[in-house]
Amino acid sequence: GQSLEQPSEVTAVEGAIVQINCTYQTSGFYGLSWYQQHDGGAPTFLSYNALDGLEETGRFSSFLSRSDSYGYLLLQELQMKDSASYFCAENNTNAGKSTFGDGTTLTVKP
Amino acid sequence: KAGVTQTPRYLIKTRGQQVTLSCSPISGHRSVSWYQQTPGQGLQFLFEYFSETQRNKGNFPGRFSGRQFSNSRSEMNVSTLELGDSALYLCASSPTTSPDEQYFGPGTRLTVT
């Protein structure tokens, strides 16, 4: 994902809160999605932001600031099963369906 | 509802051969997208089909092609396989009401030797 930047790795402990940031730089942007992928599994849709602000779905929240070309995924009350890769994906009128970031590997420790 | 299904799940081919992968979307979803996932390049968009028409195309050579049938099932074909085509090929379907939500199938793991 050459137009999106997200950290490659994040480590946190059970019960903690972690924020995974994503910045994008492409014109034609119209929305940011987040996906979770466990080792050996397929990506699973988590959330989508088209407008500025916070979207909350249970323990997961996603935020978008279009003026800052920035978004984040917030995971609360971390559980061991949250250990996975998290991808931000940009929906863009110029680049096909979605452009995915390289993913952030989250490791949750006891 | 049943999820997205892909067949086959695993495939081993030789350089120069061609391969066809199949994807059945979630019932009622008319948009089907294909992605290639490799450790080095990550998840890369191949193409999207909607109502049997290619709506978007990624930056892949013409050896990669696809089609969609009237029941929304989709196939992708890769001709003249190269070693670098070894990857996980993922199909995703989207509902018309929420086109930006993509629901992925388990993928087809293609190994080219």
Side-chain angles (χ1 to χ4, degrees), chain A residues 25-69:
Chain A
Q25 301 177 11
T26 310
S27 64
F29 170 90
Y30 67 85
L32 193 71
S33 305
W34 289 91
Y35 292 83
Q36 177 194 61
Q37 186 177 29
H38 286 98
D39 267 351
T44 302
F45 173 79
L46 293 176
S47 67
Y48 174 70
N49 294 70
L51 303 175
D52 285 359
L54 194 68
E55 295 279 344
E56 297 180 74
T57 309
R59 296 187 297 114
F60 294 1
S61 303
S62 58
F63 172 83
L64 178 66
S65 169
R66 296 176 72 114
S67 59
D68 295 321
S69 297

